[in-house]
């Protein structure tokens, strides 16, 4: 194994000790140097011995990823990117599914909750901001998603208000006036749904369109079945919408399913916009217009935040709020 | 914590020592008793201290799951079930994505490859049977999928030949005669594609239909894009098919996408059957006929196999071959 450490050092043009410091975290290494060593590690497929590394640095080389559910395409795509990025940094990923259960999230954020992990990335769902702010995890923490209280931890998110405004404005720009929203979640406190509602209403306001309560459909979860049900409710309601902004692609695909079942033409009779840009929406019939968050950047920035805290325990930088880009991808449902 | 151990013991009607033995694996416990203790643990939401448990038993409470890719719906749905089932057994899951890379699979199966895990579940993709047979993982191993050599390790799979025969026979029963197959993978050695091809040809033979090489479309991967491309090739070929059996739902949904793009009616002009029963196919337009493997059972049986080996290191039962049920779910693409 020592010869392979040497190979990495040669490739990166640094000393064996520097490579060892990057791998073990025993001593701080400049960001640029660390990146070069990391690249050499990737190119050579070098995998440091985890057990030996743990002994040296009191670390495990494992990071935790806690998401509501793995079977949801947005989270599985994001988890896939995170696992690959983690591997590039010689970390392996321990996965927890919280199912949006407050108790499961709480357990992760208490001292000792992280257990064997060197760091934790969590996409909270059920916990309210006050609890998140009071979290005392035993390892560095990165929160995914917006409206976590300043100061709780580093967080990485898209600008949900702006993104939702753009999605709604896209529909308004196409001449739609009776625009419904599927996915408001007044019973949840994680903020994302509230922020998207805010952006939706802001776009309506700017266009001088009224807020119609019947057009704001709340859901229990973000699955296709919930979107299909909400679309049924909308179409059975007093005023039929000519467009729908669904807060996730799964909801949008459920709504599209209902539209087809009822013989509506999409987008002629009703236009649909989703959110997440999952693979599924690229092949739906018709392909789905959506807001595409830069998932690759979410993965990279989250792991960079963790690395900065894990490898520099004395790092007292205040928690960072990182906003990753998004873009509206217009396909054939609008 | 000791009081909670007592709660579990009381609920299960066993001694604290027995609960402790189940949790730590320090001494063997009868299968039925272990099941009762496990149920009590689940009901009470008891979570043993991982670090303490590791110290006692030389274990980590972590199992590894190695799959080709997390973003693929079949694997993300299965991984979600496995993570939940593992949690019920107080295990957490370390995830590896191999991307079908032989080197990545090989690394996991060498001594020390499993590293911190107490057991490993792997869905091999690139390795050939001989390599799998020679595997010497440092922890108990379960293989997902068929045609691994007898004796390498416990394995859990559906009966792919029978399932593919049923899917093809379903199309024949609907009067289709020019039935193509999308998903043959002659370049891979993992066997699943070969077994499904075998079942497809067996059904054609029984119906007296000829094998048309142009109708067997190989793919590099099982994604929607590959299915779309294969469907393009089929429709541009000399003899237009009236039905397609795709070896995964993702391939089928890609094929469906192409059919729509070309203005074909499904199922009138061309019928389509997939394999996997992913959520996506339940909401496609039209909803997809598919072979549904019992994923819940795959998860349960895999973890049961691991538990039997992990908790009874002296267990010399020969490797088991477990076949889980599947069923054909007829929806609207046929």
């Amino acid at each position: 194994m020592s010869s392979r450490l040497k190979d990495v050092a040669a490739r990166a043009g640094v000393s064996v000790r520097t490579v060892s410091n990057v791998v073990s975290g025993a001593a701080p290494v400049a960001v640029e140097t660390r990146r070069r060593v990391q690249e050499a590690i990737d190119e050579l497929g070098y995998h440091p011995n985890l057990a030996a590394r743990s002994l040296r640095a009191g670390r495990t080389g494992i990071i935790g990823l806690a998401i509501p559910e793995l079977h949801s395409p947005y989270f599985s795509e994001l988890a896939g990117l995170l696992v690959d990025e983690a591997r590039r940094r010689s970390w392996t990923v321990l996965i927890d599914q919280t199912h949006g259960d407050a108790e499961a999230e709480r357990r992760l954020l208490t001292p000792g909750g992280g257990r064997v992990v060197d760091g934790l990335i969590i996409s909270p769902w059920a916990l309210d901001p006050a609890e998140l702010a009071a979290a005392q995890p035993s390892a560095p923490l990165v929160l995914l998603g917006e409206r976590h209280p300043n100061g709780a931890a580093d967080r990485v998110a898209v600008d949900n208000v702006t993104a939702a405004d753009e999605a709604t404005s896209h529909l308004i720009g196409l001449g739609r006036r009776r625009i419904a929203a599927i996915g408001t979640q007044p019973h949840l406190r994680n903020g994302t749904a509230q922020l998207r509602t805010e952006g939706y209403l802001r776009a309506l306001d700017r266009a001088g369109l009224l807020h119609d309560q019947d057009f704001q459909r709340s859901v229990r979860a973000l699955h296709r079945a919930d979107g299909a049900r909400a679309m049924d409710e909308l179409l059975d309601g007093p005023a039929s919408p000519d467009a729908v902004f669904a807060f996730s692609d799964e909801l949008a695909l459920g709504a599209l399913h209902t539209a087809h079942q009822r013989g509506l033409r999409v987008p002629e009779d009703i236009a649909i916009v989703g959110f997440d840009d999952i693979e599924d929406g690229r092949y739906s019939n018709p392909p789905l217009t959506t807001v595409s968050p830069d998932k690759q950047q979410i993965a990279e920035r989250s792991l960079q935040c963790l690395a900065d805290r894990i490898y520099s325990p004395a790092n007292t930088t205040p928690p960072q709020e990182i906003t990753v880009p998004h873009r509206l991808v217009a396909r054939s449902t609008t």
Side-chain angles (χ1 to χ4, degrees), chain A:
Chain A
M1 198 181 111
S2 69
S3 75
R4 303 190 60 196
L5 203 64
K6 270 185 217 162
D7 297 338
V8 173
R11 167 79 63 131
V14 300
S15 69
V16 168
R17 172 173 294 268
T18 299
V19 176
S20 170
N21 282 338
V22 169
V23 169
S24 69
V29 176
V31 170
E32 190 40 45
T33 308
R34 203 164 65 215
R35 190 161 294 146
R36 234 163 52 227
V37 170
Q38 190 59 56
E39 277 170 20
I41 285 174
D42 292 341
E43 285 161 20
L44 297 174
Y46 169 72
H47 289 281
N49 182 289
L50 190 70
R53 183 168 63 168
S54 306
L55 283 175
R56 283 196 304 270
R59 297 202 188 93
T60 59
I62 298 174
I63 60 164
L65 172 64
I67 53 179
E69 46 196 16
L70 208 40
H71 65 80
S72 183
Y74 172 73
F75 287 114
S76 69
E77 290 181 13
L78 184 60
L81 294 171
L82 280 161
V83 167
D84 283 348
E85 277 299 306
R87 156 75 65 190
R88 290 189 60 248
R89 294 170 181 274
S90 303
W91 283 329
T92 40
V93 177
L94 201 62
I95 292 206
D96 249 305
Q97 283 190 113
T98 58
H99 293 291
D101 172 44
E103 189 47 51
E105 294 180 359
R106 204 167 284 134
R107 206 158 49 221
L108 287 165
L109 294 174
T110 49
R115 293 171 302 183
V116 296
V117 301
D118 293 341
L120 180 63
I121 298 174
I122 177 168
S123 177
W125 193 251
L127 289 190
D128 65 23
E131 274 200 84
L132 285 170
Q136 299 199 311
S138 45
L141 175 69
V142 170
L143 298 172
L144 300 182
E146 256 189 305
R147 187 165 281 177
H148 305 303
N150 291 348
D154 295 332
R155 70 141 184 80
V156 179
V158 295
D159 179 346
N160 281 290
V161 175
T162 302
D165 185 333
E166 287 169 11
T168 312
S169 298
H170 170 68
L171 292 166
I172 295 169
L174 296 169
R176 307 293 164 138
R177 290 297 174 265
R178 302 190 311 282
I179 302 169
I182 293 181
T184 63
Q185 294 190 298
H187 63 289
L188 284 184
R189 296 162 291 188
N190 75 337
T192 302
Q194 284 81 338
L195 294 166
R196 293 183 189 170
T197 306
E198 196 178 319
Y200 158 75
L201 295 174
R202 191 170 82 184
L204 295 186
D205 287 345
R206 208 173 38 248
L209 298 174
L210 295 178
H211 303 183
D212 183 339
Q213 282 299 327
D214 284 329
F215 276 178
Q216 295 173 39
R217 308 309 308 183
S218 71
V219 292
R220 295 297 302 173
L222 301 180
H223 301 154
R224 291 174 181 83
D226 303 283
R229 203 177 306 120
M231 189 68 152
D232 268 323
E233 293 165 5
L234 276 173
L235 297 175
D236 292 335
S240 196
D242 59 12
V244 167
F245 168 38
F247 290 4
S248 81
D249 278 1
E250 283 189 89
L251 289 174
L253 292 167
L256 180 61
H257 177 77
T258 294
H260 283 305
Q261 301 288 78
R262 290 180 169 237
L264 293 176
R265 292 166 308 159
V266 178
E268 294 83 350
D269 299 325
I270 190 158
I272 301 178
V273 180
F275 202 115
D276 288 343
D277 193 16
I278 62 175
E279 171 87 355
D280 191 352
R282 291 172 212 163
Y283 287 87
S284 61
N285 170 34
L288 183 67
T289 295
T290 189
V291 174
S292 178
D294 190 332
K295 299 186 202 87
Q296 178 63 34
Q297 271 215 34
I298 294 175
E300 286 174 16
R301 303 294 299 267
S302 304
L303 289 168
Q304 186 61 52
C305 285
L306 272 194
D308 289 343
R309 307 262 172 209
I310 291 172
Y311 292 131
S312 307
N315 182 347
T316 54
T317 318
Q320 299 185 67
E321 312 230 338
I322 292 165
T323 303
V324 302
H326 67 267
R327 64 198 174 89
L328 185 77
V329 181
R331 300 200 187 98
S332 310
T333 53
T334 57

